[in-house]
Amino acid sequence: MKLINKTQRIYLGLIVILLLVLSGIFLYAISWSIQENIDEALHSELKLRVEQYRQTDSLQPTSSIHFAVKRLPKISRSGVTYSDTLLYNSVEQENFRYRQIKKQIAVDGVFYQITLRRSLVESDDLFYTILITELIFMVLLIAVLVVLNRKVLQRLWNPFYQTLNQITHYRIGSSQPVNMGETKIDEFQRLNNVLEEMIAQVEKEYKSLKRFTENASHEIQTPLSVINSQIEVLLQQSDFTERQWKSLQDIYRSAGRLSRLNRALLLLTKIENRQFTEHKQVDISIVLNNFLDDYDELIKQKNITLTKTIEDKTIITGNPELVELLLRNVLSNALKHNMNGGRLDVCLLDDKLHAANTGPEPKTDVSHYFERFYKQDASSASLGLGLAIIKEICEASSFDYSYTFENDLHVIEIMF
Amino acid sequence: MKLLIIEDETSLAESIRQYLQEAGNVCEIAPNYNKAHLKIHIYDYDCILVDITLPGGSGLELINELKKNHSEAGIIIISAKDSLDDRIKGLELGADDYLIKPFHLSELNVRIKSLMRRKQFSGNRKTQVGDLIILPLQKKVLINGDQVDLTAKEYDILNYFITNTNRVLTKEAIAEHVWGDHYDMVDSFDFIYVHINNLRKKIQQAGGDDPIETVYGMGYKFVER
């Protein structure tokens, strides 16, 4: 859940609870106060009347809404009692609420009960008016708070979101200077400073790593070039014995292998180090079709049945060099380990590449295939790096990949 | 043809010189920036091979200089750096080709020849080797006046042979020439074998003598008949 929303939720929850509790107390106090008011008025009136009767000696049994006198056989209760009661009003034809006060007195040896009543209708109305006003007030308060709160939070957290945005778009080695911006909030300023430092450090290390891999490659290739070229010069002399030729051949082949190995390993390292950062739109259907054309004669020569379903204009985002390498490796893997008269299915649909080929049955779990240097046939001339390269490229480019063996077919699938 | 080899690795420079001199070229070597700088200002060359990483300066600066002086020499960069960026940079500066070390000397030879052909429009409209006549601009091959029907790859291989006449060419070299850097990705050696056989058959069918000799299982040699 987003920070602002969570903050608001908690805040609002607390405020609502608080408001409810306080309003409850407030309304109760009002209601109590109103009642107290009426009760005091009733009490005052009662005292007045009782005084009157004591002085004038005139007390007649009567019964009306506001004033009732009843004769009692005896005094059963002392003191004054307050209570609420409902009385039916025949004109309005409904019941109304009244507050009444009762007192039992003795006048000249005769016992009476005096009841005084006041209508609660007005005070009830007053109470409900207060209640509704209170509710509206609460709702408005909460609404305004929500809006203000949200705005304030957004303003305050803005630098944070800017920083977050910058980091999200940061790519190592893209050589774009990163400026996290200035902010007055201490914590965010500190965050920005730390991040800028960290990025500077990372960039430095990355550059030196890049330089290292490039220099290492150069250093290794140079003596290899010497070996290769000297052998080629040697080859031109025709006065060798067969055994000498064989030795030369072995040296030549091994040097060639070393060379390819070095290049492939270097490539893997570069991919791992995310040195291929430039991303572009690539139409892989074109690349695939070109490769299949390239390999056309080879496919015919090996009598391989090719079935291709390639959706035109399949455009994905990736590093062009890597994508090309990936496709080439997938195809060459499918061809190299294929048998004469075998088959190759290439299907590109919905940004998914499906390449299936016939080939020798796997001796181990196919997940091993992606390990570097893993070769089913240890003596073959292949480097065993093809699938490792595929794996690295996919992981660096966030493509999903899988390799399965089903229905006697080796199947590679890549989801772009 | 007069060539300048700017390369600090003496052994490599020497083997290049040896290979090219055998074909009748004149080669000079400059092992560092200063000597190279001197030579390009004093002499004219038909073709210059430049290694980018040189003691005393960068090969790219030398290319810059050559271009500033409106030199008409063909420039081929030889470098151990295998990145697309370096290739693009080199070619943008004005180099005509970019070869990655290690390379086959025969491949270098072919690149030089085709560069020269591009530069000297007038020359080499027709090459004759033995009873084979090659018209490079139309990519046609004639034997005794009859055209030989070759596929694109077969023509490529034949051209490669002819450019390196009387040299032993390994299967690897041929495969790399035809497929590029990724020749090891497919069974190119069988492929080469089949194509060379086809070439031989076609030449013989057209009345020519088989000009390709197999050398000790390591490779082939094109011999002028």
Side-chain angles (χ1 to χ4, degrees), chain B residues 141 146-152 154-155 198-199 202-203 205-206:
Chain B
V141 178
D146 295 324
Q147 186 176 336
V148 185
D149 218 355
L150 297 175
T151 68
E154 282 167 357
Y155 174 81
N198 287 342
L199 254 178
K202 288 187 182 176
I203 292 176
Q205 273 170 359

Side-chain angles (χ1 to χ4, degrees), chain A residues 177-320:
Chain A
V178 176
N179 184 8
M180 293 287 176
E182 301 277 313
T183 163
K184 296 208 193 90
I185 300 174
D186 285 350
E187 286 87 351
F188 294 153
Q189 187 59 50
R190 242 180 74 198
L191 179 67
N192 287 353
N193 292 343
V194 165
L195 280 174
E196 273 176 2
E197 263 174 48
M198 210 166 77
I199 289 178
Q201 184 71 10
V202 163
E203 290 282 335
K204 204 170 97 180
E205 308 248 337
Y206 179 73
K207 279 205 181 84
S208 80
L209 191 70
K210 239 175 104 166
R211 243 178 290 126
F212 174 75
T213 39
E214 286 173 12
N215 290 340
S217 153
H218 185 76
E219 293 307 315
I220 293 186
Q221 298 289 47
T222 307
L224 272 178
S225 317
V226 172
I227 295 177
N228 277 325
S229 56
Q230 286 300 340
I231 291 184
E232 270 198 70
V233 167
L234 262 180
L235 282 184
Q236 306 307 323
Q237 301 170 27
S238 44
D239 49 358
F240 289 114
T241 67
E242 188 124 358
R243 269 182 60 195
Q244 285 169 329
W245 271 112
K246 177 96 187 19
S247 300
L248 261 182
Q249 185 164 313
D250 286 344
I251 298 175
Y252 185 78
R253 292 254 158 86
S254 296
R257 225 180 130 72
L258 254 179
S259 207
R260 295 201 312 276
L261 204 63
N262 183 49
R263 284 240 278 265
L265 280 178
L266 209 77
L267 178 70
L268 274 174
T269 315
K270 276 191 188 176
I271 299 175
E272 257 180 356
N273 292 337
R274 305 288 186 259
Q275 281 181 240
F276 292 89
T277 44
E278 200 194 329
H279 278 56
K280 281 209 190 109
Q281 304 282 86
V282 183
D283 186 349
I284 45 183
S285 62
I286 296 182
V287 181
L288 247 167
N289 276 317
N290 282 344
F291 285 158
L292 283 172
D293 282 340
D294 260 354
Y295 294 149
D296 182 53
E297 290 186 352
L298 207 80
I299 294 174
K300 290 211 182 80
Q301 188 192 315
K302 261 187 141 173
N303 264 328
I304 292 179
T305 330
L306 169 69
T307 335
K308 66 173 184 174
T309 325
I310 297 183
E311 189 182 347
D312 278 334
K313 293 211 186 309
T314 307
I315 303 191
I316 54 133
T317 318
N319 179 283

